[in-house]
Every structure is written in C-alpha cells, then in structure tokens.
Amino acid sequence: MQPHHLNRLAVFTGSAHGASTEYTTAAEEFARTAVKAGTNIVYGGGKVGLMGVVADSALAAGGDVIGVIPESLVHGEIGHPGLSTLEVVPDMHIRKTRMADLADGFVALPGGAGTLEEIFEVWTWQQLGLHAKPVALYDVDGFWQPLLEMLDHMTEQGFISSRFRETLIVETTPTALLNAMSAWQPQAPKWPATMDTTAEPRGL
C-alpha cells in the first residue's frame, strides 16, 4: 500500500506550558522533526503555551504554519502575529472544520480539555468514515497513559471496537510518530453505506 502523504498536520495541544519542561522540549522537537520531514503545521493560531512553542519552532525551522482562530480569541492578544497565514473564522466549530480540511492527519501533544475534545472529535470522524486520515497521540513522558488505560477499559467493556482502538496511533518520539502516521491505513467505517438496521450496534 502507498504511504499516507503528510503535507500538513493538524496539531492539537495546550494553551499552557504544563508542569514539566519536558512538554516544551518535546513540542520543539516535534515541530522541528516535522518540518525536516517536509510536513507543515496547521493549528489553533495561538501564541501562548505549547501552541505557541509548536508554531515558533516550526517557523524557526523554515516550515509553513497556518493558524485558524475564532474572532472571539484573536482580539484578546492570543492570536499569533508571526505566522505564515492566520485565518480568522467566526466560531470554534468552523475552526475545527477548517483545520480538518487543511490537514492530512491529526496529532495531539499534551494539553487540556480543548485538546481532548479536538482529538476525540477527529478520531470519531475517522471511525464514521467522514475522513480517512491518521489520528495520533504524541506520548510525552507517559502523559497519555492514563487516557489509554481508559480507552482500553472502554474497549474491554464493549464500547469501542478493538479494530478502531488499534487505529489510534501512539508513539513516544517524533520520528516514530511521523513514520507510523505515514504507514497508517484506514479501517472500513463503523456504519456501512447500506446498514442493516436490525443488526446489533457496534461500539465506537
């Protein structure tokens, strides 16, 4: 099978730096590695926290960085003024749709509730067949391990199909992450085009 072309990745991460300097170091390394591999960045357009670290590091490495930010945030001194492109959109829903359209894959670095919401939405879209793009977690210093334990529990309890659980890429280095995303192949969607409405629903 042909490798998945990663011209641009959507990066979801925190608007804070977090409690460990490892998160900042990892964000810098990820951005530099992605640009070196020929992969550009689209992200939420902020200049703060790990979001800003990813953008600044990618720009410093010579990458193209697109920010997509809602009007409500750009005027609060949160928008990054030095990006290759900063798109201002009406609201959060349009922001996420626009980022998804621009991206060839999605990766979450350490972050909070917004990061979780964004990565879970695109992973759900993948399972429903709304896109055929890889979704990944960059597991910095074990940050995502508690979440992965919960996902395994959901799978064991029949709420996530094992074949979809396996589609979520998890790696601990940027190079391994990019290689796994490039090699990723989609599963058939959860609901077939001609769904048997009498069948027992399968877990997401």
Side-chain angles (χ1 to χ4, degrees):
M1 293 184 178
Q2 292 294 320
H4 195 84
H5 182 60
L6 302 174
N7 179 59
R8 181 177 288 111
L9 285 179
V11 177
F12 307 128
T13 191
S15 58
H17 287 89
S20 171
T21 58
E22 288 292 323
Y23 302 141
T24 296
T25 300
E28 293 170 343
E29 184 183 7
F30 171 80
R32 288 195 300 264
T33 303
V35 171
K36 185 177 179 180
T39 300
N40 294 302
I41 301 295
V42 57
Y43 81 117
K47 66 181 180 182
V48 295
L50 295 185
M51 294 173 67
V53 171
V54 168
D56 290 339
S57 300
L59 290 166
D64 182 80
V65 180
I66 299 175
V68 184
I69 192 166
E71 291 176 359
S72 61
L73 295 180
V74 73
H75 299 304
E77 298 186 355
I78 295 174
H80 195 305
L83 302 177
S84 309
T85 305
L86 180 62
E87 296 188 12
V88 180
V89 296
D91 56 47
M92 295 289 283
H93 297 290
I94 295 175
R95 173 204 230 178
K96 291 185 291 182
T97 300
R98 178 61 177 153
M99 288 176 65
D101 288 342
L102 290 168
D104 300 304
F106 309 90
V107 57
L109 278 62
T115 301
L116 284 175
E117 186 265 340
E118 290 168 325
I119 200 69
F120 273 111
E121 182 166 48
V122 295
W123 191 36
T124 301
W125 289 354
Q126 181 198 84
Q127 294 171 40
L128 295 175
L130 301 181
H131 70 75
K133 303 173 183 180
V135 177
L137 300 177
Y138 180 17
D139 191 25
V140 179
D141 200 25
F143 179 83
W144 292 116
Q145 289 305 308
L147 176 66
L148 294 171
E149 290 177 10
M150 187 65 210
L151 293 179
D152 288 339
H153 177 66
M154 291 175 175
T155 303
E156 291 166 1
Q157 296 303 310
F159 291 103
I160 299 176
S161 169
S162 59
R163 70 186 181 99
F164 288 129
R165 172 65 182 86
E166 293 168 2
T167 66
L168 182 64
I169 296 166
V170 183
E171 294 291 350
T172 59
T173 70
T175 298
L177 185 79
L178 293 169
N179 288 342
M181 294 182 79
S182 295
W184 178 86
Q185 295 295 328
Q187 289 276 347
K190 175 184 169 121
W191 304 117
T194 54
M195 184 173 61
D196 180 2
T197 57
T198 65
E200 181 72 17
R202 292 167 290 174
L204 245 184

